[in-house]
Amino acid sequence: MAPTMRAIDIKNKTGPATSLYINDQTPKPTASSGEAIVKIKAFGLNRMDLLQREGHYPVPPQAPATLGVEFSGTIESLGEGCKDGFKVGDEVFGLAYGGAYAEYIAVNTHMLLHKPGHLSWEEAAGVPETWITATQAMYLVGEFTKGKSILWHAGASSVSIAGIQLSKIGGASQIFVTAGSQEKIDFCVQELGATAGFNYKTQDWSSEILKATDGKGVDIVIDFVGQDYFQGNLDVAARDGRIVNLGALSGTKLPAGVDIGPLFRKRIRVEGSSLRSRDAEYQGRLRDKLEEYLSRFEDGTFKLFVDKVLPWEKIVEAHQLMEKNTSKGKIICTIS
């Protein structure tokens, strides 16, 4: 009989948060060429996990059925062909196509980093997806350069928390955010250094940003919302602006009456992106960029925000917490 492990599974394959449970008969992965088997200490939650759980996320063909893309842990074994300087027993953290909600994961060593001593297991588990996604959206897709202005929607989300800090260090002329409460806006402005924030529940954020920029708008918009923000994004984008769509939390079908005139008038480029569907070489380049950030985590230039740590036995509670949209920073689960 093949060895088994514990992993989070979903009753009936898809369903609500209450359908999550620990399956102690999950087959343990084996390492292919270039892969390591990592014994997981902690894993981070992401919005895509909720969508995948509900059957609404396009999972890459190479991904296992188990949820989760970011983790920290120790290398238990290495497959053939590993050339990245790792050895058994190394403390690591990294990004995977899936499978992080488990005791063990098989992952390409190109997507692993050595865990520095100044990061806890919980902190390290919440770094890879967040910071790599923000970097990709801002630089590779949004084509950010020093002096450009930028808008991060969902300002207190983990990706935007990273993005605001990257924008500040990168020399953005203005950094705007949207969020659903004054508490979150204050956090983004006072703690992270955003220029200003707008409450999408009580304000017309696109009009307010146009006022704040003397009608110019912003050079780069990073959006996770989709349908409900599409018109506002077109309105607020500056001439030759870039709109980067990373998600569609409000839906993908645009309402009647959407005016795409700004696309032509302002020469706007709208581009969607999904990091998880990229090949290992592409993700590996971003992993190398993340490695450059490690010293800035240590000296406090970049701050990591973990909102809640829960044992993985409370995975239902963890998913329900993320669904409430009240957290500021990462939700992490630990495995003991």
Side-chain angles (χ1 to χ4, degrees):
M1 181 180 294
T4 59
M5 65 174 181
R6 294 178 297 163
I8 302 295
D9 208 342
I10 310 169
K11 298 171 186 175
N12 300 318
K13 304 304 180 184
T14 62
T18 51
S19 64
L20 297 171
Y21 72 104
I22 296 177
N23 182 348
D24 60 6
Q25 294 299 310
T26 304
K28 182 180 177 181
T30 56
S32 299
S33 177
E35 290 186 333
I37 298 298
V38 176
K39 181 174 175 57
I40 294 178
K41 292 279 192 178
F43 58 84
L45 272 63
N46 291 282
R47 288 283 167 189
M48 74 179 82
D49 302 344
L50 308 188
L51 295 172
Q52 183 178 338
R53 188 200 72 217
E54 295 171 347
H56 301 315
Y57 189 91
V59 181
Q62 65 270 52
T66 303
L67 300 171
V69 298
E70 59 182 350
F71 59 90
S72 61
T74 57
I75 294 179
E76 182 191 66
S77 63
L78 292 162
E80 295 182 1
C82 294
K83 302 177 181 179
D84 295 291
F86 293 101
K87 64 183 184 300
V88 172
D90 280 353
E91 296 183 350
V92 295
F93 64 111
L95 189 67
Y97 288 110
Y101 285 26
E103 287 185 293
Y104 297 92
I105 190 170
V107 61
N108 191 305
T109 54
H110 290 330
M111 291 311 298
L112 290 177
L113 297 102
H114 290 282
K115 185 184 82 66
H118 61 84
L119 293 182
S120 67
W121 293 114
E122 294 82 3
E123 288 173 328
V127 168
E129 172 67 16
T130 297
W131 287 82
I132 286 177
T133 297
T135 299
Q136 180 211 20
M138 181 175 161
Y139 284 101
L140 300 191
V141 184
E143 298 182 342
F144 175 85
T145 55
K146 184 178 181 180
K148 288 188 175 182
S149 57
I150 191 165
L151 164 62
W152 291 90
H153 286 303
S157 68
S158 296
V159 172
S160 291
I161 287 173
I164 293 164
Q165 296 180 76
L166 288 169
S167 302
K168 186 176 181 181
I169 292 297
S173 58
Q174 293 175 300
I175 307 166
F176 297 107
V177 300
T178 62
S181 70
Q182 190 60 45
E183 179 187 3
K184 289 184 176 181
I185 290 169
D186 291 343
F187 168 73
C188 293
V189 174
Q190 297 170 13
E191 291 282 331
L192 303 178
T195 306
F198 305 96
N199 189 327
Y200 65 83
K201 294 180 180 179
T202 61
Q203 294 176 286
D204 181 344
W205 56 264
S206 58
S207 295
E208 293 298 327
I209 290 173
L210 286 172
K211 290 178 187 176
T213 58
D214 295 323
K216 178 182 181 292
V218 292
D219 298 308
I220 302 167
V221 178
I222 312 294
D223 181 41
F224 314 87
V225 181
Q227 172 185 295
D228 290 352
Y229 282 12
F230 190 82
Q231 185 69 68
N233 289 338
L234 292 180
D235 294 341
V236 83
R239 178 163 292 186
D240 295 316
R242 301 287 185 259
I243 299 172
V244 184
N245 281 105
L246 299 181
L249 294 173
S250 65
T252 58
K253 295 183 179 180
L254 300 181
V258 167
D259 178 12
I260 63 172
L263 277 173
F264 315 107
R265 187 172 68 253
K266 296 193 284 187
R267 301 189 298 265
I268 297 169
R269 188 181 77 191
V270 180
E271 185 171 346
S273 184
S274 170
L275 176 62
R276 195 174 179 184
S277 62
R278 305 285 187 171
D279 61 32
E281 181 181 351
Y282 181 98
Q283 292 193 6
R285 292 199 301 271
L286 286 165
R287 167 229 170 264
D288 293 344
K289 185 68 176 175
L290 175 59
E291 191 167 32
E292 296 176 13
Y293 299 159
L294 294 183
S295 62
R296 291 186 168 184
F297 293 134
E298 184 172 15
D299 67 19
T301 303
F302 288 153
K303 298 178 181 178
L304 300 176
F305 292 89
V306 175
D307 187 270
K308 189 80 171 179
V309 176
L310 295 164
W312 75 326
E313 288 86 355
K314 294 187 177 181
I315 187 63
V316 171
E317 181 181 333
H319 269 234
Q320 290 173 334
L321 178 61
M322 177 163 273
E323 289 172 338
K324 291 178 181 178
N325 295 320
T326 56
S327 57
K328 299 189 294 293
K330 295 297 296 191
I331 299 171
I332 304 293
C333 284
T334 56
I335 300 176
S336 57

